[in-house]
Amino acid sequence: MKTLLTPAAALLVAAIATPAAAAGDATKGAAAFKTKCQICHTIAAGQKGMIGPNLRGVIGRKAGSSDFAMYSPQLKAFGKPWNAALLDQWLTGPAKMVPGARMAFMLPAKADRDDIIAYLATQK
Ligand code: HEC
């Protein structure tokens, strides 16, 4: 039996398999970050965290590992490095992902999460 995909089907599979972050719009994410995250988080290089940790370079960084003083013990113990999939889960419900997490905020809309994650990926 022939199982090779037609070129069109292969393209479709590739599009579906693209990671969530790639679907986001970093420019929209920058604007959304300002209105939704910046109340608690800075992303400016070298700036101390405020109510939450500084998010510059957060992708690839181990959760709870910046010099922020007020992490929950649960997030520090979580121990995994942030990637697009984990951030998507975190922003859907921090305390659902890490019981005891102190971030009282979530983004129910997938498009908002994708845009902000795409923006975070540009802030290295
Ligand atoms: C009401 C304040 C508040 C808002 C708004 C908020 N956060 Fe947070 N965030 C926190 C706090 C507090 C923590 C630390 C949580 C802990 O230690 O359990 C945190 C932690 C994080 C972390 C983990 C960072 C690390 O160093 O491990 C990420 C990622 C994050 N927030 C992303 C976001 C994004 C993106 C937004 C906007 C969509 C946002 N947060 C909005 C307060 C906030």
Side-chain angles (χ1 to χ4, degrees):
M1 197 170 71
K2 229 179 149 194
T3 52
L4 279 178
L5 294 172
T6 65
L11 263 180
L12 187 64
V13 170
I16 292 167
T18 303
D25 176 330
T27 306
K28 279 196 210 155
F33 186 89
K34 282 208 178 81
T35 59
K36 297 180 198 298
C37 318
Q38 211 157 273
I39 315 158
C40 297
H41 291 284
T42 179
I43 196 153
Q47 213 173 77
K48 275 256 169 247
M50 303 183 294
I51 295 168
N54 187 326
L55 293 181
R56 176 154 295 258
V58 74
I59 293 183
R61 182 169 94 195
K62 223 174 97 186
S65 72
S66 77
D67 64 359
F68 180 64
M70 291 176 297
Y71 280 118
S72 61
Q74 290 86 348
L75 188 62
K76 284 175 92 88
F78 181 67
K80 291 183 194 157
W82 290 112
N83 58 31
L86 272 185
L87 282 168
D88 186 68
Q89 215 189 326
W90 175 256
L91 295 175
T92 304
K96 253 189 275 166
M97 178 176 138
V98 180
R102 288 186 186 143
M103 179 167 136
F105 188 79
M106 60 179 83
L107 285 177
K110 171 90 172 115
D112 287 346
R113 296 197 302 273
D114 285 351
D115 290 347
I116 285 180
I117 292 166
Y119 169 66
L120 290 175
T122 67
Q123 302 297 298
K124 297 192 171 120

